[in-house]
Amino acid sequence: MSKRENFGSKIGAVFATAGSAVGLGNIWRFPIETGRNGGAAFIIIYIACILLIGIPVMMSEFVIGKHTRSNTAGAYQKLAPGTQWKWVGRLGVFAGVLIFSYYSVVAGWTIEYAWLALSNSFLGKTPDEFGKIFAEFSTDPVRPTLWLIVFILLTHYIIVKGVTKGIERWSNVLMPVLLGIITILVVCSALLPNASEGLNFLLKPDFSKVDGKVVLNAMGQAFFSLSLGLGCLCTYASYFEPQTSISKTAIEVCTIDTLIALMAGFIIFPAAAASGYHLQPNDIGPSLIFITLPNVFQMAFHGLPWVAYIFSVMFYILLILAALTSTISMHEIVTSYMTEEFNLPRKKGAVFETGIAIILGTLCALSFGTLGNVHIFGMTIFDLFDWTVSNFCMPLGGMFISIFTGWYLDKKVFRDELTNYGKHGAPYVRGLVFTLRYITPLAIFLIFLNQFGVFNFA
Ligand code: PFF
């Protein structure tokens, strides 16, 4: 078999992993969750979730991947041969197939909207018209499917180039551009009239809004935003160089991800305040970015159509970049699995995943229109995929990963990986093991009980 590739530099590893984390979740969910769940109070809870669940699970995935230098399914077979732990890895690969398929649908929509912004089609539209444009587009049987395929092929193109020349090289270009664009947008938003009113609304702490449900939302958001529980981080860590520090990388990735999510809020809320529009609790997900925001941007820069134009174009390019760095990592979970477990050349492994994603993704894309009547367990195909990944595979995967490293994994392996074989200290190891044994699995278990209605937090 050919030599396994590595990320050639530490910064490449950080950009690639942060690229996976930074995605649509940061932009279309985090700001609104914050706005409606008590502002700074939600941010504090979110950060607590990152410290207690996010960083421990991320470091566990890193240890598993870096130690075994294997795809996520192969990693458990190496660390726990002959046991059932391999199913944790396989669950991740299964979820990887699902998430890549449905996430690419929305990623495809961002290309349509970047095109609409570029061709100045938002100019002079009323709020109702924005709603109609989106309804017509998303239910169309052809265009969303075409954009889906374009997005999948774009991801495929990067994946087949390999780890260093594909994933790393592209992350090193896309992430700095993304950071540049988001910074410019934040500055533009901050200059708007009433910007401080918007920020105030976003950040004012209101602890009275915090209840069990809010804590669960924060946990769910942390999982999705940090790409936890699917073996994606494990796969990427298998390409880390030996000298890459696991704890440093985890902290850097979590910091970048959280900062970008906050910056998305610093773009959206001041723009909404300047436009006189009050964001509603249901302005979340696709309706936020495809109906509310194009309208908000037009109104916020009323009288400055050029600025509105450039701002909108940059915003949709930002979405494309954020989505692309995430879909690359989703694709890689499955490609590395196919290549290593079935001894396929990388190209064939990638073609396999791309083919499945085009088929399943098309079903998801059509579930907004042509296949809208098809319901499984009361959900459309798109919603079913999303539900299975976000509410089932991610928490379940995260729970088993923490139990695996907390209880099963040889603590010498764990310590060796965290200290880079004694090259630096890791005074936090005992606390981390305690968290992984008790706190993380219990917290995730509560999400489950709540989700399946065993008890209700609200
Ligand atoms: N973290 C990405 C986002 O916030 O949009 C989504 C994601 C990427 C989830 C990769 C899972 C994954 F494996």
Side-chain angles (χ1 to χ4, degrees), residues 139-155:
T139 52
D140 186 277
V142 182
R143 284 176 80 85
T145 310
L146 285 180
W147 287 133
L148 161 86
I149 294 173
V150 168
F151 211 95
I152 290 178
L153 292 180
L154 205 61
T155 310

Side-chain angles (χ1 to χ4, degrees), residues 116 120-126 129-130 298 305-306 308:
L116 289 179
N120 211 4
S121 308
F122 295 152
L123 188 69
K125 294 274 184 308
T126 62
E129 284 171 319
F130 281 110
Q298 293 304 305
W306 266 102

Side-chain angles (χ1 to χ4, degrees), residues 20-21 23-26 99 103 224-225 227 230 232 326 329-330 394:
S20 168
L24 297 172
N26 299 57
I99 194 173
Y103 195 94
F224 194 84
S225 194
S227 313
L230 306 186
C232 171
S326 293
S329 70
M330 297 168 188
M394 279 187 168

